[in-house]
Amino acid sequence: MVRGIRNTAGIILAVVGAAAALWAPFRSWYNGRVGHDFRVWELFTGAGVTDSGAGLFASMFLPLLVGAVLTLLGVVFRSRLLVLAAGIITLGFAILWMVRQGQAEGGLTVTGDSNGLGSGVGLALLGGLLMLIGAAVMGGRESRAVRTARHEQDQRERNALDHEDRDSRGAEAERPYGMAARDQETWDVAGAGSARRTASGEGGPPQRMVRRPEQQASAPRGRPVPARDADSADRGREGFDRTQYEQNDGAGGSHDSKKGRSGGSDGAQW
């Protein structure tokens, strides 16, 4: 992450420097003359800088253009060396022009008006400095050893993930034969039963069964008879209900039967 931040900052500085260097030949360099009006090869001759004009690609625009192109290539390929070379070329040609122009004029002057050094020289010097600073700040491309180590680390991580996947597949394959099918069948049966219960209404709350009036049993009639005493002779009947009810119908029936028997006996006597 630190390398990425450094590369970003270096790229920004280098690109700004290249833009300043390309803009410099179109600004005033000395006594109102723009940069692309100075011949570039006069810097290497004994006569030095003259008042003769020059074409665009035969002027100071050419070395500054070369510096900007190298900067762009360095940014694309993350090459600190290319950005450093671009800064040296830009700054070197600007300084060389200042030396040759001073020799031709007997000295250099800096004034606030159009006489003396202009803003074009300042832009060329600033562009070269920004390129050098950008090359120093950039992290550059990783070395072959670092890239190889990182590739090996990534390969080990992938191998570890593949091994874990194979282990998980092996664990599933070692399950008893048919277990997965039985589990699926159990889930299918459970799902079908649930669907049937839902369709038939069995899944809802239980319903109360209500008897019809004619199906309800009649309440017992008569009066309750006190329970027998615990010391009575019928101790064997403790498991039965200790509360007895005297049924009127049963009592009436027994009374009538007694009368019949007595009548019959009277008739027999008669």
Side-chain angles (χ1 to χ4, degrees), residues 1-254:
M1 184 176 180
V2 176
R3 181 182 293 273
I5 295 174
R6 290 181 58 185
N7 282 330
T8 303
I11 287 171
I12 293 173
L13 293 174
V15 170
V16 172
L22 285 177
W23 190 24
F26 301 94
R27 303 290 296 178
S28 175
W29 280 53
Y30 197 79
N31 291 334
R33 292 181 66 185
V34 294
H36 62 78
D37 195 30
F38 295 95
R39 295 179 179 179
V40 65
W41 63 80
E42 291 181 349
L43 302 179
F44 305 98
T45 61
V49 178
T50 64
D51 295 334
S52 301
L56 181 62
F57 291 98
S59 65
M60 291 297 298
F61 176 76
L62 182 60
L64 299 181
L65 177 63
V66 172
V69 171
L70 290 177
T71 301
L72 293 178
L73 291 176
V75 167
V76 171
F77 294 104
R78 300 294 191 274
S79 175
R80 300 174 62 186
L81 184 61
L82 290 176
V83 178
L84 180 63
I88 292 173
I89 291 172
T90 303
L91 193 61
F93 271 88
I95 294 174
L96 181 60
W97 176 87
M98 291 175 65
V99 172
R100 301 297 286 177
Q101 182 66 35
Q103 291 176 354
E105 296 290 335
L108 296 176
T109 60
V110 179
T111 60
D113 53 10
S114 59
N115 296 324
L117 293 175
S119 59
V121 180
L123 286 174
L125 294 174
L126 178 62
L129 288 174
L130 289 177
M131 292 176 190
L132 294 178
I133 295 173
V137 172
M138 286 178 61
R141 299 181 63 182
E142 295 178 346
S143 61
R144 186 182 300 273
V146 174
R147 291 197 301 270
T148 303
R150 188 176 61 183
H151 179 71
E152 292 177 354
Q153 180 66 24
D154 295 340
Q155 186 65 30
R156 285 194 295 268
E157 292 178 358
R158 287 194 295 268
N159 292 337
L161 291 175
D162 295 340
H163 183 69
E164 291 178 0
D165 293 340
R166 287 195 298 269
D167 291 343
S168 61
R169 296 193 194 98
E172 292 181 358
E174 290 177 358
R175 296 180 63 189
Y177 177 75
M179 182 176 293
R182 288 196 300 271
D183 294 343
Q184 184 64 30
E185 183 179 358
T186 303
W187 282 106
D188 294 342
V189 171
S194 174
R196 287 196 299 271
R197 287 196 300 272
T198 304
S200 61
E202 297 180 1
Q207 300 179 357
R208 292 187 60 185
M209 300 297 295
V210 181
R211 293 184 179 182
R212 297 179 180 177
E214 58 271 13
Q215 294 179 352
Q216 296 181 356
S218 60
R221 293 176 296 175
R223 58 183 180 80
V225 178
R228 298 175 180 270
D229 192 6
D231 296 336
S232 62
D234 297 335
R235 294 182 180 273
R237 299 179 62 185
E238 291 179 357
F240 296 91
D241 189 6
R242 297 173 64 95
T243 304
Q244 300 177 1
Y245 290 87
E246 182 178 0
Q247 304 291 335
N248 293 333
D249 294 341
S254 64

